[in-house]
């Protein structure tokens, strides 16, 4: 499996993109240098896959490579049969992005920025790996602690179910305030920001259902993959979360998280389940995207749910992936740092301000996504706070550079490495503890050092705490009652007998 990953990266990620560009005549004098730096970055990503032979698929340094390849294959399966013909990675001489800082770049400057970004990305991974292994050395002696399963864990499924039902109730109240279910879905096509503005607390509460499902999968005494209650709850909750939030990636990552927890508990990869989930994820991206991007509609087009439109779902998903890649959000933020100026930690302040609702602190700092839209894409000055606007995603490397330059990349990469090293050590020490398993998967899926992703970790961590706290409360109430009931049913005969 590992050498299959290496072979895939070399053929499809390193060699095919520049070759396809060269055949198309889309080259200049810096093409070879860019191909070398891009290739070095791809190799840096799979270094742990090559050399960490004892690391499992869900090791924090190995998982990103497998996730990247799985995503490529899921969204563009045809490229597997067309090496050196179809490329899944953008390699052009002129940026296709509409970002203000990229749209007027000549081929020379565009290639130079691309090369610089690859070099800084390599620096990020070098810092991450170095600090991770420094932390990992301290944890080499750690052995798993065998502990008795806490009694309250028997109530995790009940707690998770109650949290899910509470989240559905909150969602129904949101739909009512939006004029009904159909009106809410239609409004998403006009723009998620406009529709969801001012509902941040309620949306966060609804998304707690995802973590409740994670806790159910991790905390149930036996895996609930065949439990009718778990399956029905999952099928009920995930569509509701999407309808509330409008984010398809939220649902796709929820599916990946559930599969990861199941695989870690089973100590093997459920390949058939993963393949089915991959097909479902691509279909969801396409069908839900068709609904959300039907900008002129005044009602929900339910015909898109017809399985006969499966080919259309795949085409829609593939087209959107291409369009998102063409935005070049990471490069836009990187170039904005050079052309517009640094933002000096403003996006990271949003993490500290995150627990405070915007209804209380209206002008609290915003994430790097909002700055990317306002400055890099709209071309506004970098000074001052970004106003209310939707966010165009940028990764942790671009955000770190935009805040503090190369120093920021080293600091953020090192911080991520230290956190993953510490988390892995804690997971090893407490293997078998469902709360640590869920927390580990949350970090694995969402944490990369970016401001937006860190907010997700805080939000989902609080949701996890709520699920387990509720289970403890249920145990304190029902556990005590059952103990008293057992005591009443079986009296102490020694005290009842005459002396």
């Amino acid at each position: 499996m590992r050498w299959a990953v290496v072979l895939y990266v070399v053929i499809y990620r390193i060699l095919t993109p520049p070759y396809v560009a060269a055949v198309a005549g889309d080259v200049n004098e810096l093409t070879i240098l860019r191909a070398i730096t891009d290739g070095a970055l791809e190799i840096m990503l799979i270094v742990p896959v090559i050399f960490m032979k004892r690391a499992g698929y869900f090791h924090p340094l190995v998982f990103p490579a497998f996730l990247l390849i799985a995503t490529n294959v899921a969204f563009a399966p045809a490229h597997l049969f067309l090496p050196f013909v179809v490329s899944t990675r953008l390699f052009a001489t002129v940026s296709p992005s509409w970002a203000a800082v990229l749209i007027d770049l000549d081929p020379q400057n565009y290639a130079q920025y691309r090369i610089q970004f690859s070099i800084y990305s390599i620096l990020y991974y070098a810092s991450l790996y170095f600090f991770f292994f420094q932390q990992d050395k301290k944890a080499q002696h750690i052995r798993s602690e065998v502990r008795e399963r806490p009694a309250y864990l028997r109530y995790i499924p009940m707690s998770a179910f109650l949290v899910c039902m509470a989240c559905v109730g909150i969602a129904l109240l949101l739909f009512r305030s939006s004029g009904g279910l159909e009106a809410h879905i239609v409004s998403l096509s006009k723009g998620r920001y406009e529709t969801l503005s001012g509902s941040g607390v309620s949306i966060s509460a609804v998304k707690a259902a995802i973590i409740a499902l994670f806790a159910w999968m991790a905390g149930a005494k036996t895996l609930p993959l065949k439990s009718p209650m778990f399956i029905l709850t999952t099928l009920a909750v995930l569509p509701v979360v999407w309808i509330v939030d409008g984010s398809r990636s939220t649902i796709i990552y929820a599916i990946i998280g559930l599969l990861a927890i199941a695989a870690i508990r089973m100590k093997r990869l459920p390949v058939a389940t993963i393949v089915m989930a991959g097909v479902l994820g691509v279909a969801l991206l396409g069908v839900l995207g068709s609904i959300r991007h039907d900008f002129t509609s005044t009602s929900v087009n339910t015909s898109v749910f017809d399985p006969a439109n499966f080919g259309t779902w795949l085409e829609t998903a593939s087209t959107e992936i291409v369009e998102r890649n063409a935005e070049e959000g990471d490069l836009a933020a990187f170039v904005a740092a050079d052309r517009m100026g640094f933002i000096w930690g403003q996006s990271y302040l949003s993490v500290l301000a995150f627990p405070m609702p915007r209804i209380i602190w209206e002008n609290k700092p915003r994430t790097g996504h909002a700055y990317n839209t306002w400055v890099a894409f709209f071309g506004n000055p970098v000074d001052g706070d970004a106003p209310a606007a939707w966010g165009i995603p940028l990764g942790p490397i671009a955000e770190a550079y935009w805040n503090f330059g190369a120093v920021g990349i080293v600091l953020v990469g090192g911080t991520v490495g230290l956190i993953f090293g510490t988390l892995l050590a804690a997971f090893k020490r407490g293997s078998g503890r469902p709360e640590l398993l869920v927390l580990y998967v949350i970090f694995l899926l969402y944490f990369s050092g970016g401001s937006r992703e860190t907010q997700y970790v805080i939000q989902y961590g609080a949701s996890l705490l709520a699920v387990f706290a509720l289970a403890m409360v249920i145990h304190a109430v029902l556990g005590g009652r059952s103990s008293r009931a057992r005591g009443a049913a079986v009296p102490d005969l020694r005290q009842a007998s005459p002396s």
Side-chain angles (χ1 to χ4, degrees):
M1 177 66 79
R2 292 176 183 271
W3 287 108
V5 169
V6 174
L7 192 63
Y8 175 89
V9 169
V10 171
I11 294 177
Y12 295 97
R13 301 281 301 176
I14 296 177
L15 298 179
T16 295
Y19 179 82
V20 171
V23 170
D26 199 10
V27 296
N28 60 21
E29 60 272 21
L30 292 175
T31 297
I32 295 178
L33 181 57
R34 181 183 164 190
I36 292 172
T37 54
D38 284 4
L41 175 58
E42 296 291 334
I43 291 173
M44 196 71 175
L45 181 63
I46 61 172
V47 161
V49 178
I50 298 172
F51 295 105
M52 298 179 65
K53 296 182 179 180
R54 298 182 62 185
Y57 297 117
F58 298 102
H59 188 282
L61 302 189
V62 173
F63 180 72
F66 283 99
L67 182 61
L68 172 67
I69 294 172
T71 303
N72 282 174
V73 173
F75 290 121
H79 83 280
L80 285 176
F81 306 99
L82 299 169
F84 304 105
V85 176
V86 175
S87 173
T88 60
R89 187 165 61 82
L90 180 66
F91 197 101
T93 55
V94 179
S95 174
S97 175
W98 59 274
V101 296
L102 297 179
I103 200 168
D104 62 345
L105 282 183
D106 59 62
Q108 184 87 3
N109 284 325
Y110 176 67
Q112 288 176 347
Y113 277 124
R114 268 286 174 196
I115 292 168
Q116 291 174 24
F117 186 66
S118 292
I119 293 172
Y120 280 117
S121 298
I122 293 171
L123 177 64
Y124 169 86
Y125 283 110
S127 177
L128 191 158
Y129 295 162
F130 176 80
F131 283 96
F132 174 86
F133 287 118
Q134 291 301 309
Q135 186 68 17
D136 192 54
K137 285 180 182 177
K138 302 175 184 178
Q140 291 297 327
H141 64 283
I142 289 178
R143 295 293 181 269
S144 176
E145 297 177 354
V146 179
R147 300 195 320 163
E148 184 180 353
R149 181 179 169 88
Y152 72 85
L153 289 182
R154 63 183 293 196
Y155 296 106
I156 286 294
M158 182 186 296
S159 171
F161 176 77
L162 292 175
V163 169
C164 287
M165 293 303 99
C167 292
V168 171
I170 296 171
L172 293 177
L173 292 176
L174 277 175
F175 299 153
R176 184 177 181 182
S177 66
S178 300
L181 177 61
E182 185 174 32
H184 181 85
I185 296 175
V186 171
S187 68
L188 291 174
S189 66
K190 314 305 178 186
R192 285 178 64 216
Y193 178 80
E194 289 79 0
T195 298
L196 305 177
S197 181
S199 303
V201 175
S202 300
I203 293 170
S204 297
V206 172
K207 291 169 75 173
I210 293 174
I211 304 306
L213 294 175
F214 284 10
W216 194 338
M217 181 71 81
K221 194 168 185 179
T222 58
L223 273 175
L225 291 174
K226 296 181 180 180
S227 165
M229 182 64 74
F230 176 80
I231 294 171
L232 290 174
T233 303
T234 302
L235 293 177
V237 162
L238 293 186
V240 169
V241 172
W242 174 77
I243 294 171
V244 168
D245 182 48
S247 172
R248 289 151 294 164
S249 62
T250 299
I251 305 306
I252 291 172
Y253 271 78
I255 295 172
I256 294 173
L258 289 171
L259 289 174
I261 293 171
I264 292 173
R265 289 194 62 183
M266 296 165 65
K267 297 183 179 179
R268 64 179 178 84
L269 284 177
V271 178
T273 305
I274 289 175
V275 171
M276 291 175 59
V279 174
L280 175 62
V282 176
L284 281 174
L285 189 66
V287 68
L288 299 181
S290 298
I291 294 174
R292 220 185 79 186
H293 292 164
D294 193 2
F295 301 114
T296 59
S297 178
T298 57
S299 61
V300 178
N301 180 15
T302 56
S303 66
V304 298
F305 292 102
D306 187 346
N309 293 322
F310 185 77
T312 304
W313 300 347
L314 297 182
E315 183 179 353
T316 301
S318 178
T319 300
E320 184 163 355
I321 293 298
V322 171
E323 291 174 352
R324 287 193 176 190
N325 289 337
E327 278 185 340
E328 295 195 288
D330 281 351
L331 187 67
F334 181 77
V335 174
D338 181 57
R339 303 183 72 182
M340 311 290 283
F342 293 104
I343 57 178
W344 300 114
Q346 291 184 76
S347 68
Y348 293 133
L349 288 176
S350 67
V351 176
L352 300 177
F354 178 65
M356 183 71 69
R358 198 168 290 278
I359 193 171
I360 298 175
W361 186 1
E362 184 177 355
N363 295 319
K364 71 177 184 178
R366 301 184 184 275
T367 66
H369 292 52
Y371 281 101
N372 203 23
T373 304
W374 182 246
V375 178
F377 279 78
F378 288 171
N380 293 295
V382 74
D383 298 333
D385 296 330
W390 76 91
I392 293 177
L394 77 163
I397 301 171
E399 184 174 2
Y401 184 83
W402 200 1
N403 277 278
F404 301 114
V407 174
I409 288 178
V410 173
L411 289 176
V412 172
T415 300
V416 173
L418 284 174
I419 290 175
F420 273 131
T422 303
L423 184 65
L424 186 61
F427 183 63
K428 287 180 179 178
R429 181 184 293 111
S431 61
R433 294 175 58 182
E435 69 274 19
L436 282 179
L437 174 55
V438 176
L439 188 64
Y440 181 78
V441 170
I442 288 173
F443 271 85
L444 198 64
L445 289 176
Y446 301 104
F447 184 70
S448 60
S451 56
R452 181 73 171 270
E453 292 75 18
T454 305
Q455 289 184 359
Y456 285 149
V457 171
I458 295 172
Q459 173 185 331
Y460 291 149
S463 301
L464 176 63
L465 184 63
V467 174
F468 276 79
L470 179 57
M472 292 178 184
V473 171
I474 296 172
H475 169 65
V477 176
L478 298 185
R481 286 182 179 178
S482 62
S483 297
R484 289 192 294 272
R486 286 193 299 269
V490 186
D492 190 337
L493 297 179
R494 289 172 300 179
Q495 294 180 3
S497 61
S499 56

